[in-house]
Amino acid sequence: MNPNIMTPIAMTIAGSDSGGGAGIQADLKTFAALGVYGCSAIASLTAQNTLGVQGVFPVPPTFVQAQIQSVLGDIQVGAIKTGMLATADIIGAVAESLADNDIPLVLDPVMVATSGDRLLAEDAINTLILKLIPRAAILTPNLLEAAALLNTQVASSIDDMERQAQQLLAMGAQAVLMKGGHGTGEEATDLLLTSAGVDLFSAKRIATKNTHGTGCTLASAIAAGLAKKLVLRDAVAQAKDYLHNALVHSSELHIGQGSGPVHHFYKFY
């Protein structure tokens, strides 16, 4: 191995999914599948499986900060992804911990699980908007999350998605990826908005119940691309392709009785 070639490293700050399909577990699987070394700070614990979330235990904010500071004080992280942060205090602690560095942040505003269980306290939304969105290199809401952040109706067309992306961009993020997985039609279209304009990424919609962890996986794949020094558009394109294939191969896994996970390691088994 050439000692002069840096190892691409990404960090996830998110919740733990005891069922293994989303959260920290999905993030680390995604990093590994895409050739990136993964670090983590656990912001909350969940009792969770493919049928739903039975319990959430937030980690004390000071200990979330301790994990972040420990990793960043030693390891040269190339990109950070945040997921389920659960409470306003944890969001504030994360924002404070990341204030003094310029590591690209992929912010996945996790609010509701695939099962419908709420994962972000109602009073935490404003803290997310004020303290963390302005720090984001890219914000990656699905259609439901975008509507909740803007307190408006769910987008039902590409034009709606672009209008809402513009409003979210005005909150301070450098880029917004509106994810179209909750939309309708034969194709799932994601809309990327940056100061340079709009890019659309479309893929055939996959008929599968194994969609647990799709948002975590996409955001982590973007972070993996940024850790490998890809430009943002290429990181998003790679992530979209990776998630699509993980969904295509999800039927090869037989995990649990409910909404199963995507197949993160479809290239390997």
Side-chain angles (χ1 to χ4, degrees):
M1 180 179 291
N2 186 339
N4 296 316
I5 299 176
M6 292 298 297
T7 301
I9 303 169
M11 180 182 187
T12 170
I13 306 169
S16 169
D17 173 5
S18 56
I24 290 281
Q25 287 81 354
D27 298 340
L28 294 176
K29 290 173 185 177
T30 300
F31 294 160
L34 294 173
V36 172
Y37 181 83
C39 307
S40 66
I42 298 177
S44 58
L45 307 176
T46 69
Q48 184 175 175
N49 54 30
T50 65
L51 297 174
V53 180
Q54 293 80 46
V56 176
F57 182 79
V59 173
T62 54
F63 196 72
V64 177
Q65 284 190 316
Q67 294 174 77
I68 296 169
Q69 291 164 0
S70 179
V71 171
L72 298 184
D74 173 50
I75 299 171
Q76 192 167 343
V77 172
I80 297 171
K81 176 259 179 183
T82 58
M84 176 188 173
L85 299 179
T87 70
D89 287 343
I90 292 174
I91 292 168
V94 171
E96 183 179 323
S97 297
L98 301 183
D100 296 329
N101 67 64
D102 59 358
I103 301 170
L105 172 64
V106 180
L107 174 53
D108 184 16
V110 176
M111 297 181 178
V112 181
T114 301
S115 59
D117 295 286
R118 189 165 189 89
L119 298 176
L120 182 67
E122 190 71 36
D123 65 351
I125 295 177
N126 198 48
T127 305
L128 186 76
I129 291 170
L130 294 177
K131 294 189 175 182
L132 211 50
I133 287 180
R135 172 64 179 78
I138 181 170
L139 175 69
T140 65
N142 62 36
L143 299 183
L144 304 178
E145 291 160 348
L149 287 169
L150 296 169
N151 193 26
T152 190
Q153 297 295 313
V154 175
S156 59
S157 67
I158 296 297
D159 287 343
D160 286 346
M161 291 170 68
E162 183 174 352
R163 278 193 292 271
Q164 291 189 13
Q166 291 282 6
Q167 292 176 275
L168 292 170
L169 198 69
M171 292 179 177
Q174 296 174 37
V176 175
L177 181 69
M178 292 279 291
K179 300 179 297 189
H182 285 81
T184 58
E186 293 185 1
E187 290 192 330
T189 298
D190 298 347
L191 184 148
L192 174 65
L193 178 68
T194 68
S195 58
V198 172
D199 283 294
L200 299 179
F201 301 86
S202 296
K204 181 178 173 59
R205 196 177 296 277
I206 306 302
T208 177
K209 70 173 186 175
N210 294 333
T211 58
H212 187 53
T214 49
C216 304
T217 297
L218 183 67
S220 296
I222 295 170
L226 295 178
K228 292 191 286 189
K229 306 301 182 185
L230 296 182
V231 299
L232 182 61
R233 189 192 184 285
D234 290 347
V236 171
Q238 170 194 265
K240 177 78 171 177
D241 181 69
Y242 170 72
L243 177 59
H244 177 74
N245 282 291
L247 280 164
V248 167
H249 291 275
S250 67
S251 61
E252 297 168 14
L253 297 177
H254 303 282
I255 311 295
Q257 304 167 63
S259 177
V262 302
H263 195 341
H264 293 95
F265 294 115
Y266 65 87
K267 293 182 181 179
F268 306 100
Y269 67 89

